[in-house]
C-alpha cells in the first residue's frame, strides 16, 4: 500500500478481517502468537501486533472511548485493504482507568506479556508521562495521544516517543495570532492542575511574551473539581480581554458553565484538549460563543475544496458515523492518526526487510507528508510530532455548532 492511500482507503471500508481489540479492557492473544524473545523484537508471528493504553473508564474516558473506536476503525480499514505486506494488524487494548499507575501497568503488560511491536497511548499527558522511562528502557516505540510538549521534548531524551496532538506551543501561537487579529492584549489563564495544564501554561506564557500579550492573572483547579467560580470570580475582577483555558472535559465544561453563570463578557478560548464532543454536550447553552483552537474535523464542510486535508477528513467522518452512529471529533482524530503513523512505520520497516521495534521507531522518525486528520505529518530526528501551527484552526460555537471563527 502506498503512503498516499491511507486517506483514500477509507472509501474501501467493507469488512473486518482481523481485530482482537474489543469494547472492554483487553483481548485474548491471537492464534499463532509467538512467545519467543525473537517474536518480541521482530513481528508477532502471523500478524503485526500493536497495543493501546487508553482511558476507557475514569475521569478522562470522554477522550479514551472515542479514541479506542477510532483506532479500531483504522485497524479494520488497513486489514480490509490487505494489511501491511500481506499481514494483518492485531490490536490489543487495555484500560488504564485514567490512572497514572495503572497506565504504566498496562504498558508493561503489553510489552512483557503480549510482546507488541509498538504502543499507542496514553490519551492524556499525565497518563503518558509514567510510560516514557519504561518504554525507553525497553526500547518500544510509543505514539502518545497526549498533548503535553514534554512528551516528545527534549527529543534527544525521547528517542522512542512520538505523539499526534499538536504541540502546546503551536496551539498557543495560533491563539496568540487570533488575539492580535482582534486587538486583544490582556488575558487571564486558567488551567487544570496537572502535567497537561502546567505544560500549556508554560507554553502559552512564552508565546504570549513573544506576541506582546500580557497575562494579568492565572488560576488553577483540580481535574475532578465541580465548581470553578472562585477562580473565575478573581479573574473577572481583573477585566481581561480574554480568558484562556487549558483543560479537558468534564472539567473544561464546568469552567464554561461557571463563566456563563458569572455573566463574564471576555472572550473564552480553549486549547484543543477540550476538543471532544462531550465538551459542548456538557456545557449546554453556556458554550455559545466559546472559542477553541483545534483541528478541522468539526468544520470540514466549511473548508475550501483545495484544503489538502478535506477529502481525508470527509472520508473519515463518513466512515466513523456509519461505523458508530455518532459524530467524530478532533480528539478521536488524533488517535486515528496515531494508528496511521504506526502503520506507516511498519510499512517502512517491512520495505527495509525487517520489522522490529527498532525499525518501526526509525520509520516513525521518517514520516513524510502523511495527510492525517490533525494535520499533515512530517517527522524527523529533531521533530517527533511533525505538525505546525497552520494545522490548527480557530473555531467558535454559534447556534450550538462549531464554525470557523470569524
Amino acid at each position: 500500500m502506498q503512503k498516499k492511500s491511507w486517506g483514500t482507503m477509507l472509501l474501501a471500508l467493507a469488512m473486518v478481517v482481523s481485530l482482537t481489540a474489543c469494547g472492554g479492557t483487553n483481548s485474548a492473544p491471537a492464534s499463532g502468537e509467538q512467545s519467543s524473545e525473537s517474536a518480541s523484537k521482530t513481528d508477532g508471528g502471523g500478524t503485526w501486533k500493536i497495543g493501546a493504553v487508553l482511558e476507557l473508564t475514569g475521569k478522562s474516558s470522554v477522550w479514551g472511548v472515542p479514541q479506542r473506536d477510532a483506532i479500531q476503525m483504522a485497524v479494520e480499514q488497513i486489514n480490509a485493504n490487505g494489511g501491511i505486506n500481506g499481514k494483518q494488524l492485531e490490536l490489543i487494548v487495555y484500560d488504564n482507568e485514567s490512572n497514572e499507575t495503572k497506565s504504566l501497568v498496562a504498558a508493561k503488560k503489553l510489552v512483557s506479556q503480549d510482546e507488541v511491536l509498538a504502543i499507542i497511548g496514553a490519551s492524556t499527558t499525565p497518563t503518558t508521562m509514567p510510560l516514557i522511562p519504561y518504554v525507553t528502557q525497553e526500547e518500544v516505540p510509543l505514539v502518545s495521544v497526549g498533548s503535553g510538549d514534554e512528551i516528545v521534548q527534549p527529543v534527544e531524551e525521547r528517542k522512542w516517543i512520538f505523539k499526534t496532538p499538536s504541540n502546546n506551543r503551536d496551539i498557543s501561537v495560533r491563539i496568540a495570532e487570533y488575539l492580535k487579529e482582534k486587538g486583544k492584549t490582556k488575558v487571564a489563564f486558567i488551567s487544570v492542575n496537572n502535567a497537561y495544564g502546567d505544560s500549556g501554561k508554560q507554553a502559552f506564557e512564552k508565546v504570549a511574551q513573544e506576541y506582546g500579550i500580557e497575562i494579568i492573572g492565572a488560576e488553577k483547579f483540580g481535574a475532578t473539581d465541580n465548581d470553578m467560580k472562585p477562580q473565575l470570580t478573581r479573574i473577572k475582577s481583573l477585566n481581561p480581554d480574554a480568558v484562556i483555558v487549558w483543560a479537558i472535559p468534564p472539567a473544561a465544561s464546568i469552567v464554561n458553565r461557571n463563566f456563563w453563570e458569572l455573566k463574564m463578557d471576555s472572550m473564552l478560548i480553549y486549547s484543543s484538549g477540550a476538543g471532544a464532543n462531550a465538551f459542548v454536550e456538557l456545557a449546554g447553552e453556556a458554550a455559545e460563543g466559546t472559542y477553541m483552537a483545534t483541528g478541522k474535523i468539526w468544520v470540514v464542510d466549511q473548508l475550501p475544496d483545495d484544503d489538502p486535508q478535506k477529502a481525508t477528513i470527509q472520508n473519515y467522518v463518513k466512515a466513523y458515523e456509519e461505523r458508530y452512529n455518532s459524530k467524530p471529533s478532533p480528539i478521536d482524530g488524533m488517535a486515528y492518526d496515531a494508528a496511521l503513523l504506526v502503520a506507516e512505520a511498519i510499512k517502512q520497516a517491512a520495505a527495509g526487510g525487517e520489522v522490529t521495534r527498532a525499525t518501526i521507531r526509525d520509520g516513525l522518525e521518517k514520516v513524510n507528508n502523511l495527510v492525517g486528520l490533525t494535520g499533515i505529518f512530517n517527522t524527523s530526528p529533531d521533530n517527533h510530532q511533525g505538525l505546525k501551527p497552520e494545522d490548527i484552526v480557530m473555531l467558535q460555537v454559534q447556534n450550538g455548532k462549531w464554525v470557523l471563527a470569524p
Side-chain angles (χ1 to χ4, degrees), residues 74-403:
V75 171
E76 291 171 3
Q77 292 167 342
I78 291 166
N79 288 341
N81 280 275
I84 303 172
N85 273 26
K87 292 178 65 171
Q88 301 284 286
L89 276 177
E90 178 185 344
L91 174 66
I92 301 171
V93 182
Y94 289 125
D95 178 16
N96 64 19
E97 303 178 36
S98 304
N99 177 279
E100 289 86 345
T101 301
K102 292 180 179 179
S103 190
L104 178 58
V105 170
K108 289 183 175 179
K109 192 174 180 181
L110 286 170
V111 172
S112 61
Q113 172 184 295
D114 302 306
E115 299 182 341
V116 299
L117 289 165
I119 298 175
I120 296 172
S123 300
T124 71
T125 303
T127 49
T128 295
M129 295 308 292
L131 275 55
I132 292 175
Y134 173 69
V135 298
T136 300
Q137 174 185 317
E138 297 297 322
E139 299 186 340
V140 180
L142 175 79
V143 182
S144 174
V145 200
S147 298
D149 294 2
E150 65 270 34
I151 290 175
V152 292
Q153 295 174 0
V155 69
E156 59 270 20
E157 298 176 7
R158 301 289 191 264
K159 179 179 178 181
W160 295 85
I161 317 299
F162 300 80
K163 76 181 183 85
T164 55
S166 292
N167 284 328
N168 284 324
R169 176 176 172 80
D170 290 347
I171 296 169
S172 298
V173 167
R174 189 67 191 94
I175 292 173
E177 290 174 343
Y178 191 73
L179 289 170
K180 295 293 284 187
E181 290 172 12
K182 301 301 177 184
K184 309 296 185 183
T185 58
K186 294 186 177 182
V187 306
F189 192 94
I190 182 168
S191 57
V192 61
N193 188 21
N194 62 25
Y196 172 63
D198 292 344
S199 176
K201 185 171 185 289
Q202 292 169 7
F204 189 81
E205 285 175 340
K206 292 178 181 177
V207 171
Q209 187 173 19
E210 295 169 12
Y211 279 76
I213 295 170
E214 182 182 4
I215 301 175
I216 59 175
E219 299 283 347
K220 290 186 176 184
F221 56 85
T224 58
D225 287 358
N226 55 23
D227 184 6
M228 290 66 155
K229 285 195 289 290
Q231 295 95 325
L232 288 172
T233 297
R234 290 192 288 272
I235 286 176
K236 183 178 181 180
S237 69
L238 302 174
N239 193 30
D241 293 332
V243 178
I244 313 301
V245 189
W246 234 267
I248 71 172
S253 302
I254 295 172
V255 172
N256 205 312
R257 289 209 305 269
N258 290 162
F259 183 92
W260 181 73
E261 290 164 356
L262 291 170
K263 302 185 185 304
M264 296 174 70
D265 57 5
S266 307
M267 295 175 71
L268 183 61
I269 303 177
Y270 285 80
S271 69
S272 61
N277 290 327
F279 173 73
V280 172
E281 294 168 3
L282 293 171
E285 61 183 336
E288 192 68 19
T290 298
Y291 297 85
M292 188 181 297
T294 188
K296 303 173 181 176
I297 286 180
W298 280 329
V299 295
V300 62
D301 292 337
Q302 301 168 45
L303 299 176
D305 290 340
D306 62 353
D307 186 290
Q309 291 178 258
K310 185 167 185 175
T312 297
I313 296 175
Q314 285 179 323
N315 291 334
Y316 173 77
V317 170
K318 182 175 184 295
Y320 190 98
E321 291 177 350
E322 290 178 353
R323 176 73 168 80
Y324 297 111
N325 194 30
S326 62
K327 299 289 185 183
S329 73
I331 295 302
D332 45 76
M334 297 170 188
Y336 186 89
D337 286 345
L340 291 190
L341 260 66
V342 170
E344 169 65 16
I346 293 175
K347 185 181 70 171
Q348 289 192 25
E354 187 179 22
V355 178
T356 68
R357 290 169 173 168
T359 58
I360 291 173
R361 190 219 74 85
D362 293 345
L364 285 168
E365 210 168 61
K366 299 173 183 174
V367 175
N368 183 29
N369 288 326
L370 178 67
V371 179
L373 306 173
T374 314
I376 299 175
F377 290 88
N378 286 284
T379 60
S380 71
D382 298 325
N383 186 347
H384 281 194
Q385 190 263 347
L387 298 178
K388 54 188 181 304
E390 290 76 11
D391 293 309
I392 302 163
V393 290
M394 288 297 299
L395 308 182
Q396 187 182 32
V397 178
Q398 293 184 6
N399 299 316
K401 296 183 179 179
W402 288 106
V403 301

